[in-house]
């Protein structure tokens, strides 16, 4: 059916190539809830942080599966100086999946100097 399988995500997180056929939630849950990775602290943190960000967006009446909404929430969270390095790493992992699905007009441009 063209859907990616957990085996498509073998290797390190830096070797991972996002699957454009999947939404970011499905991709992250497939990758971090599979039997091989679900026990790692990093994967547990990604799943927990993803759920927390989605809950906050839902509470604000925003569809958490919209890449633009998730991008904005992740960027805001990453700017929070009180977040631990571990939480920021989980946020960055989620952002890596969301970023390539976010429409270019929603992405900030670097300041031209």
């Amino acid at each position: 059916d063209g859907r990616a399988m957990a085996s498509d995500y073998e290797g390190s997180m830096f070797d991972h190539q996002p699957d454009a056929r999947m939404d970011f939630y499905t991709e992250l849950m497939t990758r971090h809830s599979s039997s091989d990775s679900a026990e790692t602290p990093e994967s547990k943190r990604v799943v927990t942080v993803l759920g927390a960000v989605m809950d906050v967006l839902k509470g604000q009446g925003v569809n958490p599966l919209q890449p633009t909404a998730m991008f904005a929430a992740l960027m805001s969270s990453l700017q929070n100086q009180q977040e631990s390095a571990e939480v920021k790493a989980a946020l960055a992992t989620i952002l890596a999946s969301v970023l390539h699905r976010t429409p270019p007009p929603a992405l900030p441009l670097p300041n031209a100097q």
Side-chain angles (χ1 to χ4, degrees):
D1 67 355
R3 295 189 67 127
M5 303 300 292
S7 60
D8 294 340
Y9 299 108
E10 292 176 3
S12 80
M13 65 187 252
F14 301 106
D15 294 335
H16 174 67
Q17 293 298 314
D19 186 338
R21 298 169 295 183
M22 298 173 77
D23 64 77
F24 68 86
Y25 177 80
T26 303
E27 177 184 343
L28 288 165
M29 293 307 290
T30 299
R31 185 163 181 220
H32 293 281
S33 294
S34 69
S35 59
D36 292 338
S37 65
E39 297 302 315
T40 68
E42 295 82 8
S43 285
K44 287 179 181 180
R45 209 171 292 112
V46 167
V47 170
T48 300
V49 170
L50 177 61
V53 174
M54 291 181 79
D55 286 347
V56 168
L57 289 172
K58 285 180 194 174
Q60 296 174 348
V62 177
N63 179 353
L65 295 178
Q66 290 294 329
T68 302
M70 183 59 73
F71 173 80
L74 293 169
M75 293 303 292
S76 177
S77 295
L78 282 167
Q79 292 174 347
N80 183 346
Q81 296 298 318
Q82 296 179 5
E83 296 290 1
S84 70
E86 292 85 4
V87 169
K88 285 187 176 190
L91 290 165
T93 298
I94 299 165
L95 182 61
S97 182
V98 171
L99 190 60
H100 77 278
R101 293 175 173 90
T102 304
L107 301 175
L109 296 174
N111 294 334
Q113 295 186 359

